[in-house]
Amino acid sequence: MHRALVLLLLVLWPSLAVAGAEDARPVRIGVLAYRGVDAAQAQWGAHAAYLEARLAPRTVRIVPLGYDELTNAVHDRALDFVITNTGHYAELELTGGVSRIATRRLHGADGPLDSFGGTAIARAGRGDLESYRDLRGQALMIPDRSSLGGWQVHAGEALEQGIDLRHAARSIAETGNHEAVVLGVLEGRADAGFVRSDLIESMAAQGKIRLADLKVLNQRREPGYPYALSTKLYPEWPLAQVTGTPDTLAREVLIALLNLPADSEAARAAGLHGWAVPLSYKAVDELFRSLRLGPYATVRFAFQDVLVRYPLAAAGAATAIILLLSAALWHSARSRRLLRDEVARRAEAERSLRVLNVAVEQSPSSVVITDTECRMVYVNDTFCRVSGYERDELLGRDMGLLRSGLTPPSVYQEMWGRLATGQPWNGDLCNRRKDGSLFWERLTISPVVNESGHTISYLALKQDITLQRGFELALDRAANYDSLTGLPNRTLAHDRLQRHLVEDGTVAVLHVATDNFARINQSLGQAAGDAVIAALATRLAAVTVETDTVARITGDEFLVIRAQPGDAAEIDRLANAILWTAAQPIEVDGAALRVTVRVGIALAPRDGTDAIEVEKAAYSAALRAREAGGNAFRHFQQSIDAEARRRFELEVALRDALENDALELHLQPFAEVATGRFVGAEALVRWRRDGEGYVPPGVFIPVAEAAGLVQEIDRWVVEAAAAAAARLRDGLGRPFPIAVNVSPKDLADRDMLDHLRRALGRHRLPPDALEVEVTEGIFLAGEEKAGEVLRALSDMGVPIAVDDFGTGYSSLAYLRRYPFGKLKIDRSFVAGMDQDPKLAGLVNAVASMAKHLGLKVTAEGVEREEELALLRQTGCDLVQGYLLARPMPLASLEALLGVEEMAAAV
């Protein structure tokens, strides 16, 4: 027995020693020391201290290195992470040595910036210099040729304008730094100079130069970018993971950096606003490719260059290749004839089978084959390793052996539904290992059929995505929870409050703010302040119940949300409990600190019907508690003020307008993306008052909702839209459907469906002459009720569209489950999509998803040509927005369509 234990220790000792050494080894972050080792250490040293505090017990070491030293260290795997300039990173990434995990964000004039470019400058009096083309034969000054912002981006822009400055410039002087370039141009030692964007503004702010003495060449504007610019924008410096660094460590570092406060010592020392998820560096790769820099520098000329320079040799080589190919084809034909021998074919088949068997066994993916009863008949080594079972424990057993019970039954129903029709199924499952631990798999299951087309088995290819899922959960927690207290943040609190308002009706909201927290922070420091906030969070959680939400919404402010409170006395007791527990002494570094709070109370729906409105009411009540001296609570009181009287006046006038048919119908047409032709319009209600003009819909619609007039307005719009559709149909000689917005509350009323049917009949219109647009809010009243309404519309033959998609709370499953024919992407996703790759990706994903569900896609709020160009690429069917046409009366639309029809005829 003792001998066995000794042997076991001898076997395990190396792995234990390695694991211990791995934990003890410091995390090494290499940084580009372009201004010297001391400057780099001063700039990034605070980052090491910040990370050590969050990666304890790990230690973090900053390793400042020169350009070549850093490259060699990456290739030798002597570092875990790298912080370097954009151009250097692009070279390292192309060699496979690193992969980015974050992009730095700098302080900009109008907010944080995560991209930069280059600025080409000359003296103010040089009227002969306007663009890069004008620099032929001129003397240039640059920091150095390895500088992305100070040389490479300018060379790329010039190349696009047809001039290669590496050969066309009279001279190129390298100064070693950017400021020297600016001063050299001003002193007349060069005709023009190239620097990184934001430099000249920084030097002017420091009083080193006057911007009026300089002229920016090739000036261009990028929306949201505040500095003078001559080139495209490129992403800022990245933080990259060196190949071989554990993904778990990379995830910890990423989460820590994403939560780096902008006012922290680490951010100030590095001159950063913070870190963000990584941008795409494809533009840098394309720049290097065009200039033949970095890994592309060895490619001296293209194949076309060979043909131009060596035509005879190229022709001879081509002839030789043709002869070789002919010989190869002859030999291949002869080989195929010889392979007809039965013995040779069997030998080849057996060899291929052995190779396939080895490939499957050694595959990094799990491979499982079951019979038609889901009993496992084959598993590879990877699946055994992932599941923790031995092969003999799995063969013959049902696949249900691994079920965790956490995957919704609907997933399995969808899976078997597809497999039953002979189609493969893709999806994610949460399963359980032999040791009881959970793991996530992404798998594809395909039926295997025989010659007669019957399924004889199932083949499953699986990937373990447990680490990826953990990464996603960690990012979600960083986005929705406060890092200090672990409580929900404002975003998550608003989401929960809005759901309570929809589902529970009565909701109490308590705004809790400290009375004297600023004094503690100023006198004892941030660490003491953090300790106080953490203690208050714990105490608030202790006096609330499990169903309450306690959130930290700002530095010293909390929100307590209670759904369906019993009565006012219950909320008063909760407020008194909060006041009492907060007033108890808090021990911080041996000192007893006393903190009091004030509480503002709002009750929904009495004090508001949405999350922001109710929170504002609670905040207002807390202000009155502060005015009372603090350490007190107050309820929100709605006084009858000028605004209330204004709303009452509008309600009376609106009722009069409905009675006298004084509302107006405006129509905003939408067009086909493919042809640009207007094919329909959306109906919008407008109200014009004598002496006041048009009342904005955002003003009178809430009044109508509060007064219960929305149903009458919806009926008026349906009738007016039907009349307009009939008139347009007769005038154009072709269908021209009108879309009407109907509120979820109104649509649930069967009378509205009857009114819609009667309007169609009265104007002798087919059902598809009107389209009904519903928001995702229709499902908030209950899925069963919403389903009845949608099916009733579908049975009538009325097309249904989902309006403002992406702004509500509906599940994507509703799109597949109910008879929608069109999906309208909300303008908040379209606006600025050409400037924000994330928005463009979201629009593209929604359009693709809709196409797979058989839905037409309309993009709303299109106001710029750049947005329209991108929408053409996404596959959107229809577009609507001010770029094409604003909302207009029926007569104006008829005139517009008449001009369009005439143009089409010509």
Side-chain angles (χ1 to χ4, degrees):
M1 181 68 178
H2 292 294
R3 180 177 299 174
L5 288 174
V6 170
L7 288 173
L8 180 61
L9 286 173
L10 289 174
V11 170
L12 294 178
W13 178 254
S15 61
L16 292 173
V18 169
E22 188 69 24
D23 291 337
R25 183 175 62 78
V27 178
R28 300 155 301 179
I29 303 178
V31 299
L32 181 61
Y34 66 96
R35 292 186 299 181
V37 172
D38 293 340
Q41 190 66 48
Q43 182 181 8
W44 297 105
H47 261 62
Y50 170 80
L51 289 173
E52 283 185 347
R54 282 152 181 80
L55 302 180
R58 297 180 185 272
T59 59
V60 180
R61 184 160 61 90
I62 298 297
V63 185
L65 296 170
Y67 193 95
D68 293 334
E69 294 172 326
L70 196 58
T71 300
N72 293 334
V74 168
H75 291 165
D76 295 340
R77 307 293 188 264
L79 301 170
D80 299 299
F81 301 95
V82 171
I83 300 175
T84 186
N85 67 37
T86 304
H88 188 205
Y89 166 76
E91 294 185 33
L92 295 175
E93 183 187 49
L94 288 168
T95 62
V98 296
S99 57
R100 61 191 180 278
I101 63 172
T103 296
R104 73 175 183 179
R105 308 183 77 194
L106 302 181
H107 295 284
D110 301 322
L113 296 175
D114 53 15
S115 56
F116 71 98
T119 307
I121 58 173
R123 292 189 301 281
R126 291 299 298 266
D128 58 323
L129 301 181
E130 296 294 339
S131 67
Y132 290 101
R133 286 189 294 270
D134 300 327
L135 298 180
R136 185 184 302 275
Q138 302 293 329
L140 305 182
M141 188 171 284
I142 64 172
D144 60 73
R145 292 178 184 261
S146 64
S147 170
L148 186 67
W151 167 245
Q152 293 164 349
V153 298
H154 300 278
E157 292 286 338
L159 203 58
E160 289 184 6
Q161 295 183 14
I163 177 173
D164 189 343
L165 292 177
R166 293 171 293 190
H167 308 299
R170 186 173 78 245
S171 63
I172 302 177
E174 299 183 45
T175 65
N177 68 76
H178 290 252
E179 289 194 2
V181 172
V182 178
L183 297 177
V185 170
L186 289 174
E187 293 168 3
R189 291 186 282 116
D191 296 299
F194 300 154
V195 293
R196 173 191 165 106
S197 60
D198 81 9
L199 176 73
I200 60 174
E201 289 86 354
S202 174
M203 292 180 69
Q206 299 171 31
K208 296 180 179 179
I209 64 170
R210 293 190 315 141
L211 291 177
D213 295 334
L214 289 174
K215 174 182 184 178
V216 177
L217 309 183
N218 203 59
Q219 192 160 8
R220 61 190 295 165
R221 293 281 186 270
E222 290 290 345
Y225 194 74
Y227 302 115
L229 189 65
S230 302
T231 70
K232 302 182 187 71
L233 290 177
Y234 295 83
E236 271 290 352
W237 286 30
L239 170 75
Q241 173 187 359
V242 177
T243 300
T245 301
D247 289 339
T248 53
L249 174 59
R251 184 179 63 196
E252 293 176 14
V253 170
L254 171 59
I255 292 174
L257 291 180
L258 289 178
N259 286 284
L260 176 69
D263 58 352
S264 65
E265 177 59 28
R268 284 195 296 270
L272 304 181
H273 181 276
W275 293 89
V277 293
L279 300 180
S280 170
Y281 288 73
K282 182 180 178 182
V284 185
D285 175 61
E286 293 174 349
L287 176 67
F288 280 18
R289 188 187 301 272
S290 66
L291 294 174
R292 296 179 184 172
L293 297 175
Y296 304 109
T298 56
V299 183
R300 300 301 180 187
F301 45 78
F303 181 68
Q304 185 177 357
D305 300 328
V306 175
L307 295 178
V308 172
R309 297 183 186 181
Y310 311 106
L312 294 178
T319 302
I321 291 172
I322 292 172
L323 292 174
L324 288 173
L325 287 175
S326 300
L329 290 173
W330 176 85
H331 181 73
S332 176
R334 181 172 178 273
S335 298
R336 283 197 299 272
R337 287 193 299 272
L338 294 175
L339 286 175
R340 290 173 184 169
D341 183 89
E342 182 66 23
V343 175
R345 283 195 294 111
R346 287 190 177 186
E348 180 64 20
E350 291 175 0
R351 187 192 69 81
S352 299
L353 189 59
R354 287 194 299 271
V355 171
L356 178 61
N357 184 59
V358 172
V360 171
E361 280 296 326
Q362 297 180 0
S363 170
S365 299
S366 297
V367 180
V368 179
I369 300 176
T370 73
D371 59 19
T372 54
E373 300 298 323
C374 266
R375 291 185 294 265
M376 289 175 273
V377 297
Y378 172 81
V379 295
N380 70 346
D381 289 341
T382 301
F383 182 70
C384 294
R385 183 173 64 254
V386 170
S387 66
Y389 287 94
E390 297 294 332
R391 195 184 305 267
D392 293 342
E393 297 176 294
L394 294 171
L395 296 181
R397 301 287 298 276
D398 191 280
M399 281 294 295
L401 173 69
L402 279 76
R403 286 194 181 184
S404 65
L406 300 178
T407 302
S410 58
V411 174
Y412 292 108
Q413 292 170 5
E414 179 191 356
M415 177 182 76
W416 285 113
R418 287 187 64 84
L419 294 177
T421 61
Q423 302 178 74
W425 178 82
N426 303 284
D428 297 347
L429 298 179
C430 180
N431 285 330
R432 194 179 299 278
R433 296 186 179 93
K434 181 179 179 180
D435 62 9
S437 61
L438 298 174
F439 69 105
W440 281 90
E441 290 184 304
R442 177 159 295 159
L443 63 159
T444 297
I445 304 177
S446 302
V448 179
V449 298
N450 58 16
E451 294 178 352
S452 60
H454 294 101
T455 300
I456 58 174
S457 59
Y458 296 102
L459 170 65
L461 302 178
K462 308 182 173 192
Q463 287 184 311
D464 185 355
I465 60 169
T466 307
L467 180 61
Q468 178 182 337
R469 279 279 185 162
F471 207 155
E472 292 170 352
L473 289 174
L475 289 175
D476 178 71
R477 183 159 189 84
N480 292 290
Y481 289 85
D482 176 52
S483 60
L484 174 62
T485 63
L487 296 177
N489 59 17
R490 183 189 292 274
T491 300
L492 184 55
H494 273 199
D495 182 67
R496 291 184 180 179
L497 175 55
Q498 190 65 44
R499 291 182 183 274
H500 283 315
L501 292 171
V502 172
E503 298 170 2
D504 300 313
T506 304
V507 184
V509 177
L510 290 79
H511 185 282
V512 182
T514 64
D515 294 320
N516 53 351
F517 180 73
R519 188 170 69 251
I520 293 174
N521 247 359
Q522 293 168 0
S523 58
L524 300 180
Q526 183 179 345
D530 287 349
V532 169
I533 292 299
L536 284 177
T538 302
R539 293 181 180 186
L540 289 175
V543 299
T544 54
V545 297
E546 186 177 356
T547 55
D548 293 342
T549 292
V550 180
R552 183 188 182 198
I553 57 175
T554 63
D556 65 333
E557 295 179 309
F558 299 86
L559 215 60
V560 179
I561 303 170
R562 173 168 292 183
Q564 298 180 326
D567 53 22
E570 175 186 327
I571 300 305
D572 289 352
R573 287 193 297 272
L574 175 59
N576 277 316
I578 291 173
L579 295 176
W580 181 87
T581 191
Q584 305 310 304
I586 298 175
E587 286 275 336
V588 177
D589 294 335
L593 303 180
R594 292 187 179 274
V595 179
T596 61
V597 299
R598 56 186 180 273
V599 181
I601 303 171
L603 192 65
R606 183 192 68 192
D607 300 330
T609 56
D610 63 63
I612 295 177
E613 187 179 3
V614 178
E615 186 193 353
K616 284 182 178 179
Y619 177 79
S620 176
L623 289 180
R624 292 199 302 109
R626 183 180 68 181
E627 294 169 356
N631 197 24
F633 69 86
R634 291 289 185 273
H635 287 268
F636 177 73
Q637 294 181 352
Q638 179 70 54
S639 59
I640 302 177
D641 54 13
E643 178 60 23
R645 287 193 295 273
R646 166 69 172 166
R647 290 176 67 88
F648 179 77
E649 176 193 344
L650 284 175
E651 178 182 336
V652 172
L654 186 56
R655 289 183 185 277
D656 185 65
L658 279 167
E659 291 175 3
N660 296 292
D661 198 25
L663 298 179
E664 296 180 12
L665 182 75
H666 283 205
L667 301 166
Q668 185 178 29
F670 46 83
E672 290 179 331
V673 173
T675 64
R677 185 189 189 199
F678 289 121
V679 293
E682 180 180 4
L684 302 168
V685 63
R686 294 293 184 263
W687 178 27
R688 178 163 51 187
R689 295 187 66 189
D690 292 337
E692 184 176 339
Y694 283 108
V695 181
V699 173
F700 75 82
I701 292 299
V703 173
E705 291 173 342
L709 300 175
V710 171
Q711 288 180 315
E712 291 185 52
I713 293 176
D714 281 351
R715 282 165 172 72
W716 183 90
V717 171
V718 167
E719 179 63 31
R727 183 165 150 181
L728 288 168
R729 192 182 188 91
D730 292 340
L732 295 173
R734 62 180 173 92
F736 196 86
I738 304 297
V740 293
N741 293 278
V742 180
S743 67
K745 181 179 178 181
D746 200 6
L747 194 56
D749 186 354
R750 285 283 177 177
D751 289 342
M752 183 60 184
L753 298 179
D754 294 336
H755 181 76
L756 186 66
R757 185 182 294 107
R758 287 194 299 271
L760 290 168
R762 196 160 33 247
H763 295 282
R764 299 180 180 179
L765 291 171
D768 61 357
L770 292 182
E771 295 180 357
V772 170
E773 294 185 357
V774 299
T775 64
E776 297 170 75
I778 189 175
F779 296 104
L780 298 182
E783 182 181 349
E784 182 177 351
K785 198 168 186 178
E788 292 176 0
V789 172
L790 296 174
R791 280 188 283 272
L793 283 169
S794 180
D795 291 341
M796 288 172 57
V798 175
I800 311 168
V802 181
D803 197 12
D804 300 333
F805 182 78
T807 62
Y809 300 93
S810 69
S811 165
L812 294 180
Y814 295 140
L815 297 178
R816 181 174 57 85
R817 199 174 300 155
Y818 295 109
F820 294 112
K822 182 189 296 183
L823 181 151
K824 299 185 73 174
I825 301 174
D826 186 70
R827 71 173 307 276
S828 60
F829 295 95
V830 175
M833 63 180 291
D834 59 307
Q835 303 163 20
D836 188 345
K838 294 180 182 177
L839 285 179
L842 282 172
V843 172
N844 194 55
V846 170
S848 177
M849 176 269 297
K851 288 296 183 184
H852 283 85
L853 293 175
L855 304 179
K856 284 192 173 183
V857 181
T858 300
E860 298 179 289
V862 181
E863 297 184 0
R864 299 168 54 246
E865 288 288 351
E866 293 83 352
E867 296 165 356
L868 180 59
L870 280 179
L871 289 169
R872 288 195 179 101
Q873 300 173 20
T874 65
C876 285
D877 302 286
L878 305 168
V879 287
Q880 177 182 359
Y882 284 3
L883 177 64
L884 291 91
R886 292 174 175 267
M888 63 189 74
L890 175 58
S892 299
L893 179 59
E894 288 176 316
L896 174 64
L897 294 175
V899 172
E900 182 191 53
E901 295 288 325
M902 290 173 60
V906 173

